[in-house]
């Protein structure tokens, strides 16, 4: 690569601006504009790519709607009712409250689609419950909350899978189905680790919920539990598109919180809308920057060049997937996941297609890699979020994360080498038929 070429200079500018603290979306826009100027291309292309990309991709609308649904859920009493229901299921076992943390992440995974929303919402409540009266150390509770929140964007609905569909043109419905088994597998491995640690460290046993209370607790949580059933049922029966289902999820959360539970005040609704708007705007700016930068990458023919290079290396599909895993895991240590998904992954997609790798399988492998980056030092965004919530030193949280990270890497290896784990449910629904 010519280090004085417009593309090289634009990369340097993007990296420098990002290191100086400019949001990566704005950094990509600045670098891309500089490239177009140096290459003598039409500067109006920036606006053209931005408008065409944002307005022609209906799927992008699902992102702010899923974020809004999660915020409404966390602002109302849905979270509290679901936690009580989870306690009925697994709270009576040794280390039961830690198991509740995992089970609630599975349930919330079917609602929010965001790891950060899960950690900041139900995760904050779990942190308080686990550390009350010294049941668990703050660092262990924070570590467990961080690693369980990772499951959220793997089990549908999933904002990262929506963004992957945006850059790969893979089916969102089948991607959602493909995430179910890997997410459940990861949760089962986490529960096994908690059970082993509970016996070893003599974790407390929570007071069993009286049998007479179980029907009442289940009934109070039932409307909230129906949310993922309605959401996914509408998608897979063809009643709604995934984007329309996201709107339905936000509307359902609002109706249940206001009309049935009567737990959402006007002020809380406004705050939920405000937080959702800010979060969506930051993601939207990142998408806008990536759309323009991906146009630059296309002009430079980078995806095709990389595809031809890897074909010349005669990599097998498994070797390619291993290489992608290593690259994404390393990038996940220093970069934010959405940036990886929108900038790096589009470069790999053509090669994956050329090697005959199923794009639905590839998408789940990519998203699991990116989710692992959220709890992998030194960047680990969830680690820093839980440090702020718990007050525990980040080094202690990282220490307590390590046993869970081992099993999460095992899960990544299994879905990489055994695609049927990922593709079984989509094929049951007719994928590839």
């Amino acid at each position: 690569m010519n280090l004085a070429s417009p593309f090289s200079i634009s990369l340097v500018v993007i990296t420098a601006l990002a290191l100086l603290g400019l949001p990566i979306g704005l950094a990509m826009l600045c670098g891309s504009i500089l490239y177009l100027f140096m290459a003598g291309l039409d500067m109006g292309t920036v606006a053209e790519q931005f408008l065409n990309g944002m307005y022609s991709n209906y799927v992008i609308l699902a992102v702010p709607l899923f974020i809004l649904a999660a915020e409404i859920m966390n602002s109302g009493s849905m979270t509290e009712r679901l936690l009580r229901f989870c306690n009925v299921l697994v709270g009576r076992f040794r280390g039961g409250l830690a198991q509740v943390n995992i089970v609630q992440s599975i349930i919330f995974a079917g609602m929010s689609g965001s790891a950060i929303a899960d950690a900041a919402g139900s995760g904050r409540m779990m942190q308080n419950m686990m550390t009350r009266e010294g049941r668990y150390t703050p660092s262990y509770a924070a570590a467990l909350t961080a690693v369980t929140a990772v499951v959220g964007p793997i089990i549908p609905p999933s904002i990262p899978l929506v963004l992957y569909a945006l850059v790969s043109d893979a089916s969102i419905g089948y991607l959602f189905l493909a995430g179910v088994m890997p997410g459940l597998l990861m949760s089962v491995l986490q529960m096994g680790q908690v059970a082993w640690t509970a016996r070893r460290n003599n974790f407390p046993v929570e007071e069993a919920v009286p049998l007479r209370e179980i029907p009442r607790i289940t009934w109070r949580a039932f409307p909230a539990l129906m949310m993922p059933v309605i959401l996914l049922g509408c998608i897979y029966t063809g009643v709604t598109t995934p984007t329309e289902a996201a709107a339905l999820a936000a509307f359902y959360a609002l109706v249940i919180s206001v009309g049935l539970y009567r737990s959402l005040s006007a002020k809380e609704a406004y705050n939920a809308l405000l937080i959702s708007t800010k979060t969506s705007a930051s993601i939207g700016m990142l998408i806008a920057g990536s759309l323009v930068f991906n146009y630059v990458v296309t002009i430079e023919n980078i995806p095709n060049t990389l595809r031809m290079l890897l074909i010349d290396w005669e990599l097998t599909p498994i070797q390619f997937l291993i290489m992608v895993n290593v690259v994404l895991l390393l990038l996940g240590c220093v970069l934010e996941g959405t940036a990886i998904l929108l900038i790096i992954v589009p470069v790999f997609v053509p090669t994956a297609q050329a090697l005959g790798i199923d794009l639905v399988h590839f998408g789940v492998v990519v998203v699991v890699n990116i989710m692992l980056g959220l709890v992998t030092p030194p960047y680990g965004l969830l680690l820093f979020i839980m440090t702020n919530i718990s007050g525990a030193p980040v080094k202690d949280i990282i220490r307590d994360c390590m046993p869970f990270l081992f099993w999460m890497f095992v899960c990544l290896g299994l879905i990489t080498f055994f695609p049927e784990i990922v593709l079984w449910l989509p094929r049951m629904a007719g994928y590839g038929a």
Side-chain angles (χ1 to χ4, degrees):
M1 179 187 293
N2 182 4
L3 297 179
S5 68
F7 184 69
S8 299
I9 294 174
S10 70
L11 287 179
V12 171
V13 169
I14 292 171
T15 304
L17 291 175
L19 291 176
L20 289 172
L22 191 70
I24 185 66
L26 290 175
M28 285 190 292
L29 280 173
C30 293
S32 301
I33 290 172
L34 178 63
Y35 171 87
L36 294 173
F37 175 76
M38 296 181 66
L41 299 174
D42 183 8
M43 302 294 287
T45 304
V46 174
E48 180 184 349
Q49 291 300 311
F50 173 76
L51 293 174
N52 288 343
M54 297 295 278
Y55 285 101
S56 63
N57 287 292
Y58 184 59
V59 69
I60 295 177
L61 279 175
V63 175
L65 291 169
F66 279 132
I67 293 172
L68 178 60
E71 289 300 329
I72 292 174
M73 208 169 51
N74 289 331
S75 298
S77 66
M78 293 177 72
T79 299
E80 182 182 350
R81 293 168 188 260
L82 289 171
L83 288 178
R84 289 176 183 170
F85 175 75
C86 294
N87 189 50
V88 167
L89 296 179
V90 294
R92 65 184 66 238
F93 304 112
R94 183 164 297 282
L97 204 52
Q99 300 286 15
V100 168
N101 200 335
I102 299 173
V103 173
Q104 65 87 18
S105 288
I106 298 174
I107 294 176
F108 276 90
M111 301 182 188
S112 72
S114 167
I116 295 173
D118 289 351
S122 60
R124 187 185 298 271
M125 296 183 66
M126 284 305 310
Q127 180 73 26
N128 295 333
M129 291 171 62
M130 291 182 68
T131 55
R132 190 180 302 156
E133 298 176 0
R135 288 185 178 94
Y136 300 84
T137 64
S139 63
Y140 183 83
L144 183 61
T145 300
V147 297
T148 56
V150 166
V151 176
I154 300 173
I155 296 177
S158 165
I159 292 174
L161 284 176
V162 170
L163 295 178
Y164 172 79
L166 174 67
V167 301
S168 69
D169 289 329
S171 165
I172 301 178
Y174 289 130
L175 281 168
F176 279 3
L177 273 181
V180 173
M181 293 305 294
L184 293 178
L185 174 61
M186 188 176 291
S187 295
V188 168
L189 293 173
Q190 290 174 347
M191 294 181 78
Q193 176 63 38
V194 166
W196 182 82
T197 308
R199 289 195 300 270
R200 182 183 179 188
N201 296 341
N202 198 30
F203 282 174
V205 178
E206 304 302 316
E207 184 178 349
V209 178
L211 291 176
R212 66 178 181 276
E213 292 291 319
I214 293 178
R216 183 180 65 84
I217 294 173
T218 303
W219 177 250
R220 284 168 60 86
F222 182 76
L225 290 170
M226 286 301 294
M227 182 173 171
V229 176
I230 295 172
L231 178 66
L232 299 179
C234 287
I235 293 175
Y236 298 125
T237 57
V239 175
T240 66
T241 66
T243 302
E244 292 165 346
L248 179 62
F251 178 73
Y252 183 81
L254 182 63
V255 169
I256 294 300
S257 295
V258 175
L260 185 61
Y261 292 158
R262 298 184 180 178
S263 59
L264 188 69
S265 66
K267 183 179 180 181
E268 289 171 333
Y270 173 77
N271 288 334
L273 189 62
L274 189 63
I275 293 171
S276 302
T277 302
K278 290 180 179 179
T279 306
S280 300
S282 64
I283 294 177
M285 184 56 68
L286 186 55
I287 293 174
S290 69
L291 287 171
V292 180
F293 183 71
N294 286 341
Y295 174 74
V296 172
V297 169
T298 302
I299 292 176
E300 289 289 317
N301 204 26
I302 301 298
N304 190 55
T305 302
L306 179 63
R307 181 176 66 85
M308 296 305 299
L309 177 63
L310 293 176
I311 289 175
D312 289 341
W313 288 356
E314 298 183 350
L315 292 178
T316 65
I318 287 296
Q319 289 172 333
F320 173 74
L321 287 173
I322 292 173
M323 183 201 74
V324 170
N325 282 342
V326 171
V327 171
L328 294 183
L329 287 172
L330 291 175
L331 289 174
C333 294
V334 294
L335 288 179
E336 197 270 330
T338 306
I340 297 173
L341 196 54
L342 293 173
I343 303 170
I344 307 299
V345 172
V347 177
F348 287 130
V349 168
T351 306
Q353 286 180 301
L355 291 174
I357 297 171
D358 187 276
L359 287 187
V360 170
H361 172 232
F362 185 65
V364 174
V365 171
V366 163
V367 168
V368 171
N369 270 289
I370 290 172
M371 291 305 101
L372 287 177
L374 291 174
V375 288
T376 304
Y379 186 80
L381 183 59
L382 282 176
L383 299 177
F384 295 111
I385 289 174
M386 292 315 302
T387 297
N388 292 332
I389 290 175
S390 67
V394 68
K395 62 181 180 62
D396 293 343
I397 297 177
I398 292 173
R399 179 200 63 211
D400 290 331
C401 275
M402 287 305 168
F404 296 101
L405 274 175
F406 169 78
W407 291 112
M408 292 159 80
F409 283 123
V410 168
C411 178
L412 175 61
L414 289 173
I415 66 172
T416 298
F417 289 102
F418 302 100
E420 282 305 313
I421 297 176
V422 176
L423 297 175
W424 177 69
L425 264 183
R427 283 176 177 162
M428 290 289 287
Y431 177 64

